[in-house]
Amino acid sequence: MNQKLRLLTPGPTQIPERVKNALARDMIHHRKSQFSEIYARMQPRLQALFGTRQTVLPLSCSGTGAMQAAVSNLFRPGEKVLVVEAGKFGERWRHIAASRGLEVVSLELDWGEAASPESVEDMLRLHPDARGLLVQASETSTGALHPIQDIGRLTRERDTLLVVDGISAVGVSPCPMDLWSIDCLLTGSQKGFMLPPGLALISLSPRAREKAEAIESDVYYFNLPGELTKSQQGQTLFTSPVNLIMGLDAALEIFFEAGPADIFRRQWAWTRLVRSGVRRLGLQPLVPESYTWGLTSIALPSGVNGGEVVSRIADRFNLFVAGGQDRLKGRIVRIGHMGDLDFADLLAGLYALRSVLSEMVALNEAPDYLEQAMQAFEQASAADMPQWAKTALEQGY
Ligand SMILES: Cc1ncc(COP(=O)(O)O)c(C=O)c1O
């Protein structure tokens, strides 16, 4: 049957028509005024989405490139950094930091766990010489949301830069950089921003910028002080991915027709929809409490092969979800709810999941699971978001 392709993966995500059209526009030159006008127009909107007064720099790379840029510009080889390692992307922080010659101390957590502020505080007390703390806001490999606000209260009192990978958080759930004392916040284009992959965004707090300037890093391509200087002309140091920048401009336009409050509410409502449907089927989300708003990881009953679930759903419904990575491979399915979606895409995702899983294992007899999911969606659309998010929204954007 000819069915619409649905991408419920946690990045890349579906792209709105208006963004696709912008991506297909005629080429413009990155050193001419047409480009700098777009750059200048985007800047206040990017700052608003990052919750910062600082410049937000575009980098031509995927999200990992921005992680590399942060580490190379903010730390000297030999310095000590702490890493919150609770999944594949926490592990990536460790690898990048080690490749820069940093001394890395990890807070190792179970995959699926969110860090507790107490454990981070203990680690900071134990390592007063740590010059940085590297963490994900949302650990996409598990679906856990780390308490960045609490961590920021701890690091701002110390000579420890808080570097946050917000790749599946910026534009998805509140993560206001200035209010939460984040020293470096970065993201990628292919998730909440509803763009193809290939563009990253990064911003530095004043003290992070000072450090980057003092270090005079030997890094040539991802030189953030150089990019900051160049940004004053509305340009990037090297040739920009011009189409992605035009796409970003269009995506920001869509965002700001709604505004951050609506974006976050929509994300929250999608999250509630999926979690409620999953629970009604007798399945358990991998992360019980501190969960991200951009995806839901579902623990599979034993004996069910996650890879098989993902491929049967794709074959039968032309609908794409993700499996687990590394140690979670085969054990979870991840339904992404970022990008250009609506509730009906997510209902289709739940239906496809139930349909395929019920061939493999006995599920709850719950003929009303889609209704339950919709009820949760309606309630979350009308009611308040969690208090921490409301406060962040009121004060941070
Ligand atoms: C939290 C997080 N960090 C880092 C990355 C890596 O980003 P990229 O694949 O764009 O390099 C991802 C990608 O899924 C991610 O979700």
Side-chain angles (χ1 to χ4, degrees):
M1 210 190 314
N2 186 13
Q3 303 191 77
K4 176 179 155 186
L5 184 151
R6 287 189 170 83
L7 207 52
L8 303 189
T9 42
T13 59
Q14 296 183 161
I15 300 173
E17 208 54 35
R18 214 188 313 171
V19 172
K20 286 185 204 158
N21 290 336
L23 291 166
R25 272 191 216 136
D26 281 346
M27 188 52 53
I28 56 173
H29 195 267
H30 60 289
R31 299 287 179 227
K32 301 289 185 287
S33 61
Q34 282 164 306
F35 183 85
S36 358
E37 278 160 22
I38 297 177
Y39 194 108
R41 180 164 69 228
M42 289 189 328
Q43 201 44 235
R45 288 177 169 169
L46 284 174
Q47 288 171 312
L49 269 186
F50 270 60
T52 186
R53 289 208 187 85
Q54 308 310 316
T55 304
V56 179
L57 297 168
L59 300 176
S60 329
C61 55
S62 77
T64 307
M67 295 170 78
Q68 172 93 61
V71 168
S72 306
N73 283 270
L74 296 176
F75 306 108
R76 297 179 183 88
E79 284 186 333
K80 184 190 275 188
V81 292
L82 309 178
V83 168
V84 175
E85 208 176 313
K88 184 163 181 67
F89 298 109
E91 198 179 80
R92 186 164 302 178
W93 270 137
R94 172 164 56 81
H95 290 149
I96 294 173
S99 76
R100 171 79 178 149
L102 306 184
E103 183 188 342
V104 185
V105 178
S106 284
L107 174 64
E108 283 186 49
L109 302 171
D110 283 342
W111 286 29
E113 226 183 308
S116 72
E118 295 73 28
S119 59
V120 174
E121 186 165 17
D122 287 349
M123 189 164 68
L124 284 163
R125 281 221 187 95
L126 219 65
H127 300 280
D129 53 340
R131 295 287 82 94
L133 191 149
L134 317 180
V135 61
Q136 274 57 46
S138 151
E139 174 50 79
T140 321
S141 64
T142 65
L145 194 69
H146 292 308
I148 302 302
Q149 179 177 19
D150 297 325
I151 297 175
R153 282 196 200 107
L154 300 169
T155 49
R156 75 177 171 218
E157 307 296 337
R158 297 168 160 85
D159 186 12
T160 309
L161 295 176
L162 174 57
V163 182
V164 176
D165 163 359
I167 291 177
S168 57
V170 177
V172 175
S173 59
C175 187
M177 178 172 154
D178 293 356
L179 184 70
W180 287 3
S181 308
I182 297 171
D183 290 295
C184 172
L185 181 63
L186 59 94
T187 191
S189 50
Q190 76 274 25
K191 303 194 189 256
F193 278 83
M194 311 183 291
L195 289 165
L199 185 71
L201 298 158
I202 188 166
S203 187
L204 301 181
S205 70
R207 74 170 181 165
R209 180 174 184 165
E210 230 169 79
K211 172 104 188 266
E213 285 168 353
I215 283 182
E216 293 184 25
S217 167
D218 52 3
V219 65
Y220 187 80
Y221 188 67
F222 289 131
N223 190 298
L224 297 181
E227 290 289 357
L228 280 163
T229 305
K230 197 73 184 169
S231 72
Q232 286 162 14
Q233 297 167 37
Q235 292 182 18
T236 54
L237 275 180
F238 308 103
T239 311
S240 288
V242 174
N243 301 69
L244 285 173
I245 297 278
M246 294 192 291
L248 176 59
D249 187 35
L252 290 169
E253 210 177 272
I254 296 173
F255 271 147
F256 282 87
E257 283 165 7
D262 276 14
I263 298 166
F264 295 139
R265 180 175 302 287
R266 182 189 71 175
Q267 288 293 147
W268 171 240
W270 287 345
T271 310
R272 300 302 299 162
L273 183 160
V274 174
R275 292 179 72 86
S276 161
V278 161
R279 284 222 153 95
R280 183 73 185 137
L281 289 171
L283 298 165
Q284 290 310 317
L286 180 72
V287 181
E289 270 166 33
S290 188
Y291 50 85
T292 171
W293 296 13
L295 68 136
T296 299
S297 292
I298 301 146
L300 293 172
S302 63
V304 172
N305 176 339
E308 182 65 21
V309 175
V310 171
S311 62
R312 282 200 208 178
I313 289 177
D315 291 347
R316 187 104 49 82
F317 296 97
N318 203 20
L319 187 151
F320 294 82
V321 296
Q325 295 160 293
D326 294 349
R327 69 183 81 163
L328 288 175
K329 198 175 174 69
R331 293 173 45 204
I332 60 170
V333 163
R334 292 175 299 150
I335 297 186
H337 26 90
M338 293 176 270
D340 187 37
L341 297 172
D342 73 3
F343 65 87
D345 291 313
L346 297 174
L347 294 178
L350 284 174
Y351 179 82
L353 179 70
R354 195 218 54 157
S355 177
V356 163
L357 266 183
S358 60
E359 295 165 357
M360 301 172 157
V361 73
L363 291 177
N364 265 4
E365 274 300 321
D368 62 345
Y369 70 103
L370 294 178
E371 268 166 62
Q372 294 280 327
M374 272 314 285
Q375 253 178 39
F377 172 76
E378 303 264 16
Q379 268 167 18
S381 303
D384 280 340
M385 289 181 269
Q387 189 54 46
W388 67 267
K390 268 177 64 184
T391 310
L393 198 54
E394 284 158 14
Q395 298 172 13
Y397 289 92

